[in-house]
Amino acid sequence: MLAFNLSSPEDLIQGLAHRMKRRRIESGLTQRELATKSNVSYGSLRLFEASGKISLESLVKLAFALQAEAEFEHLFPSRPPQTIDDVVDRPLKQRVRRR
C-alpha cells in the first residue's frame, strides 16, 4: 500500500478525486458512461472530479463501477499492539466513556 504525505483533509480529498478520474480515463469511460454505470448522477460525478465533493454512498458506487471497492478494506485497519496488555485476549470495547 502506498504511503501518503498529505498535509490536510482537502489534499486527501483532491488526491482521491484525481485518482478516481485517472481510473475512469484508464477504463475508457466518459463521465456520462461512468455516471450511468454507477447509478450516480452526472452532476455529482462532475462535481466530485472538479471539487472532491461527493456523498459516501456515491463514492462507494463509483468505486464498485471502477472495480476499486476492495480498497475500502484498507481505510481503518486495526492498530498494531503497543503493549503486552494489548495482545492479551480481552473483549473489544463497544464504546468509550468520557469521565
Side-chain angles (χ1 to χ4, degrees):
M1 188 162 148
L2 298 173
F4 296 100
N5 289 325
L6 301 173
S7 59
S8 71
E10 292 79 17
D11 291 340
L12 188 140
I13 290 167
Q14 287 298 320
L16 182 62
H18 176 75
R19 289 189 305 278
M20 192 281 307
K21 180 179 180 178
R22 186 176 59 227
R23 181 85 169 248
R24 173 182 64 78
I25 292 168
E26 288 170 354
S27 298
L29 296 169
T30 66
Q31 287 179 330
R32 287 200 186 275
E33 289 169 336
L34 179 57
T36 300
K37 183 176 180 178
S38 64
N39 201 27
V40 171
S41 74
Y42 173 66
S44 292
L45 177 56
R46 285 187 56 207
L47 181 65
F48 177 56
E49 287 190 5
S51 69
K53 295 179 193 275
I54 195 165
S55 73
L56 179 58
E57 180 179 0
S58 293
L59 181 61
V60 171
K61 287 178 178 182
L62 290 170
F64 268 85
L66 293 170
Q67 299 177 340
E69 69 279 0
E71 302 305 314
F72 283 94
E73 291 294 325
H74 303 288
L75 277 178
F76 296 102
S78 297
R79 291 184 182 199
Q82 301 295 315
T83 68
I84 191 69
D85 288 334
D86 294 341
V87 178
V88 176
D89 197 20
R90 295 192 294 184
L92 181 63
K93 292 181 181 179
Q94 296 300 312
R95 61 182 172 171
V96 176
R97 292 185 184 205
R98 300 282 181 219
R99 294 180 185 165

